[in-house]
Amino acid sequence: QVQLVESGGGLVQAGGSLRLSCAASGRTFSRNAMGWLRQAPGKEREFVAAINWSGGYTYYADSVKGRFTISRDNAKNTVYLQMNSLKPEDTAVYYCAANRLEYGFGRTDPREYDYWGQGTQVTVSS
């Protein structure tokens, strides 16, 4: 059974930092593009960051550029999202996702992801 399991969410004050992790099991995703997406209450799911299969290319939403960093450790089948200078508007459920194509580039459209984790809540207080 393929699973993506996120961890690292929580409550943090504005200006603080969190590091999210996404561990894959059931199959390797070392040859797949991965991404982080988020959904705030009453809003549609939106792209946050993506990384290609090798980790050589990364992509960010304008709203998080310069504050968030996506990375991966293919040996551990794990993807990370380092979030710094957090703002109240970053409050959302954060999802890890994988695209099914191998050796592809990162995806910025949530509809292009085929495997999803259950999500982890990030709450930023003002």
Side-chain angles (χ1 to χ4, degrees):
Q1 181 181 0
V2 176
Q3 277 192 312
L4 296 173
V5 180
E6 302 96 336
S7 61
L11 173 63
V12 64
Q13 287 189 330
S17 298
L18 284 174
R19 188 193 195 205
L20 304 184
S21 298
C22 171
S25 63
R27 58 158 285 180
T28 178
F29 285 100
S30 62
R31 297 184 292 273
N32 301 81
M34 303 287 292
W36 287 95
L37 303 98
R38 67 187 181 187
Q39 187 166 18
K43 295 188 176 181
E44 292 188 353
R45 196 168 295 188
E46 65 174 3
F47 167 74
V48 176
I51 189 166
N52 79 318
W53 69 275
S54 69
Y57 293 91
T58 56
Y59 313 80
Y60 297 95
D62 288 343
S63 59
V64 308
K65 204 171 292 183
R67 300 187 297 122
F68 291 10
T69 302
I70 188 171
S71 61
R72 67 189 300 162
D73 185 338
N74 284 342
K76 295 182 178 179
N77 220 12
T78 301
V79 178
Y80 306 96
L81 185 68
Q82 178 67 43
M83 305 187 295
N84 299 328
S85 302
L86 282 161
K87 304 175 181 180
E89 49 264 45
D90 294 319
T91 295
V93 176
Y94 283 71
Y95 297 91
C96 171
N99 179 267
R100 64 181 179 85
L101 298 178
E102 293 187 344
Y103 304 116
F105 287 96
R107 309 289 174 163
T108 60
D109 187 339
R111 295 171 296 181
E112 294 186 278
Y113 288 93
D114 304 289
Y115 302 94
W116 291 82
Q118 82 290 347
T120 184
Q121 177 70 47
V122 171
T123 303
V124 184
S125 63
S126 57

